[in-house]
Amino acid sequence: MNHDESRDLYDRALSVMPGGVNSSVRAAVEPYPPFAQHGDGGHLIDADGNRYVDWVMGLGPLLYGHDTPEPVQAAVQSHASEGPMYGMPTEIEVEHAEFVARHVPSVEMVRFVNSGTEATVSAVRLARGYTGRNEIVVMQGGYHGAQESTLVEGDADHPRPSTAGIPQSFSQHTLPVPFNDEEAVHEVFEKHGDDIAAVLVEPILANKGIVMPEDGYHETLRDLTADHGSLLVFDEVITGFRVGGLQCAQGEFGVTPDVTTFGKIIGGGYPVGAIGGKSEIIEHFTPSGDVFQAGTFSGHPVTMAAGLESLRYAAENDVYQHVNALGDELRRGLTEIVADRAPAYTVAGTDSMFKLLFTRDAADSFDEHCEAGCRQRADCPRYDACPKHGADVAAGETDRWRRVFWPQMKEQGVFLSQNQFESQFVSYAHTEEDVETTLEAYKEAL
Ligand SMILES: *Cc1c(COP(=O)(O)O)cnc(C)c1O
């Protein structure tokens, strides 16, 4: 593959943008990232005209691939042509909020913002304002955007900022625990229960994974938070309107959080975030309450139109059936391939999410193993070795993934997400043929 044009663009970019990109993970592939030129259904064409099957899908938002359905396109164009935005409320915001409240079990009210990060920032402030407490419990390896309260590593006894630029004193209010570890979270509540404003958790670890919750884990979080007067906040920025269809992961798992953060798919490909929950809690945002929250672009009419029409289209067509069936095929195909060629590796994912985790020493046996992605089944022969939390995923063969595997997949025309930790996504535009091409490429690269 020729990448001259991308290399030249990257060279120019390095002079005017830090690291040559506007979001770090885009530059994670070496020696430089292919620059996107345009999309075509489930495919991407780069600046040099190379065509790929694209499983990045904008890192989550593109439920329809690169060709939005006709009603979505029409709604976007009509709202854009009427003038981009107003600084006043519009009908389309109300309609979108009504749609979300109608379909997501825990949601009665919604505040729209402009990114997933803004959503989690506001949710944390809301939880602190609502409870009058400071501490936030998060999962090690969980991701909630680029915000001060959650860019924290270490453990509950020794939290520290995970980046330069955050005062140590901020991170002291965040208590990281390992995902799926009931004992750890019980301990934190025994010690700090009266000071904990919220537990903030992705229903499925999707930025350091994919890792599914063990049976009963979210129920434990639900009980502990309820018993201690803390809020349970589900960060459904990735899983929202992807896992479990329109009811989201909370509907699928049958666990009702107090507050939910959204992003990605609910904006139909445009910048978005949202915080939803019971009215009694969400009404604590200004102007109805005393927790300040605001944004010039919040509830942007073009974004609202794109998001709402995308979800309406999913409600009226076989969208989730299609993407989930292809996701299933991918995960089943991958399971057969790794059983043959890389038995230590773990196939992960559910619905339209998939990832192959380069775990080092899972049991060799694939008998009775989950056939379409690890489900954390306690009776599985691989149970003891399959990743349970972020550190297990991080302990994999990340160098092999980055130096050998990703470039080989790219050379075969299959574009995977840019590091070993981010999920990959199936869209409505992907086809059986894309799945076959991709499985063939995995076979070669493994
Ligand atoms: C992407 C993501 C965010 C941050 O959203 P941005 O729109 O990138 O700010 C927050 N939480 C989760 C779970 C995410 O996947």
Side-chain angles (χ1 to χ4, degrees):
M1 267 183 191
N2 180 348
H3 292 296
D4 290 350
E5 196 63 36
S6 283
R7 197 192 50 235
D8 290 350
L9 285 168
Y10 190 56
D11 195 22
R12 280 170 58 197
L14 283 171
S15 312
V16 286
M17 304 192 305
V21 290
N22 282 308
S23 189
S24 308
V25 72
R26 296 175 198 172
V29 295
E30 291 169 295
Y32 50 85
F35 275 56
Q37 216 250 14
H38 68 277
D40 177 18
H43 293 194
L44 178 85
I45 292 86
D46 74 10
D48 292 276
N50 302 306
R51 176 179 278 268
Y52 309 92
V53 184
D54 177 14
W55 301 109
V56 179
M57 288 291 115
L59 289 164
L62 304 183
L63 184 57
Y64 298 101
H66 298 287
D67 300 335
T68 42
E70 201 282 324
V72 179
Q73 200 55 33
V76 166
Q77 274 164 8
S78 120
H79 278 83
S81 70
E82 286 161 5
M85 48 84 76
Y86 306 97
M88 294 176 198
T90 57
E91 183 177 359
I92 190 82
E93 298 163 68
V94 185
E95 285 183 23
H96 198 344
E98 285 170 348
F99 187 99
V100 175
R102 198 156 58 239
H103 287 92
V104 186
S106 71
V107 175
E108 294 170 3
M109 262 191 191
V110 185
R111 169 64 52 89
F112 284 108
V113 293
N114 305 292
S115 70
T117 297
E118 252 187 81
T120 65
V121 166
S122 303
V124 166
R125 189 181 307 136
L126 179 69
R128 287 174 169 156
Y130 177 80
T131 58
R133 303 170 177 183
N134 288 335
E135 318 298 311
I136 302 288
V137 176
V138 299
M139 302 299 141
Q140 291 162 357
Y143 182 67
H144 307 288
Q147 71 138 315
E148 266 64 3
S149 291
T150 60
L151 288 173
V152 172
E153 56 190 25
D155 57 34
D157 292 327
H158 305 96
R160 56 179 188 275
S162 63
T163 166
I166 296 179
Q168 173 67 32
S169 55
F170 284 25
S171 62
Q172 247 133 41
H173 295 298
T174 302
L175 308 168
V177 296
F179 189 62
N180 274 331
D181 187 337
E182 299 205 5
E183 218 177 283
V185 75
H186 270 288
E187 240 172 68
V188 157
F189 268 92
E190 269 161 35
K191 231 165 151 178
H192 305 275
D194 293 343
D195 302 318
I196 294 173
V199 173
L200 176 56
V201 60
E202 297 168 77
I204 297 169
L205 276 198
N207 292 278
K208 199 90 166 202
I210 305 163
V211 182
M212 296 293 284
E214 288 196 64
D215 249 2
Y217 183 66
H218 288 311
E219 285 81 356
T220 297
L221 297 181
R222 180 63 284 182
D223 291 345
L224 275 173
T225 45
D227 289 350
H228 289 83
S230 316
L231 299 186
L232 179 61
V233 184
F234 269 9
D235 183 351
E236 294 227 41
V237 170
I238 280 192
T239 53
F241 303 103
R242 182 167 293 280
V243 173
L246 296 173
Q247 60 178 344
C248 305
Q250 56 194 262
E252 177 82 16
F253 294 158
V255 174
T256 307
D258 300 299
V259 172
T260 305
T261 52
F262 300 95
K264 300 196 169 123
I265 286 177
I266 53 155
Y270 294 83
V272 80
I275 311 97
K278 280 194 205 81
S279 309
E280 185 256 321
I281 299 172
I282 300 296
E283 276 190 317
H284 279 254
F285 278 137
T286 52
S288 46
D290 59 358
V291 177
F292 185 74
Q293 207 294 316
T296 302
F297 290 108
S298 293
H300 195 288
V302 178
T303 299
M304 294 292 102
L308 175 59
E309 286 305 327
S310 294
L311 296 183
R312 276 188 183 148
Y313 193 87
E316 287 159 14
N317 295 276
D318 64 342
V319 175
Y320 291 113
Q321 250 166 293
H322 179 91
V323 296
N324 293 349
L326 289 188
D328 203 64
E329 251 177 68
L330 270 166
R331 291 185 301 270
R332 280 173 197 279
L334 281 173
T335 304
E336 278 174 28
I337 293 167
V338 296
D340 190 34
R341 291 173 191 239
Y345 290 2
T346 306
V347 179
T350 183
D351 295 56
S352 57
M353 297 163 58
F354 72 101
K355 193 79 178 179
L356 181 58
L357 306 179
F358 281 32
T359 32
R360 290 173 195 270
D361 46 19
D364 285 346
S365 167
F366 272 77
D367 296 345
E368 319 278 318
H369 175 238
C370 305
E371 284 166 5
C374 173
R375 287 288 173 281
Q376 309 288 357
R377 266 183 21 237
D379 61 347
C380 174
R382 295 168 67 90
Y383 175 77
D384 288 334
C386 70
K388 302 277 181 306
H389 48 68
D392 287 346
V393 178
E397 293 177 350
T398 52
D399 275 347
R400 181 183 184 209
W401 190 94
R402 182 169 61 96
R403 292 178 195 278
V404 181
F405 172 74
W406 190 92
Q408 246 177 300
M409 293 296 282
K410 188 216 64 180
E411 281 303 307
Q412 296 182 81
V414 176
F415 209 103
L416 300 178
S417 58
Q418 296 96 326
N419 66 31
Q420 160 79 92
F421 306 122
E422 309 253 357
S423 181
Q424 288 140 188
F425 303 98
V426 182
S427 80
Y428 196 50
H430 283 113
T431 62
E432 299 261 352
E433 200 187 325
D434 294 331
V435 170
E436 281 160 26
T437 307
T438 300
L439 291 174
E440 279 306 311
Y442 270 100
K443 227 183 257 177
E444 280 296 311
L446 293 171

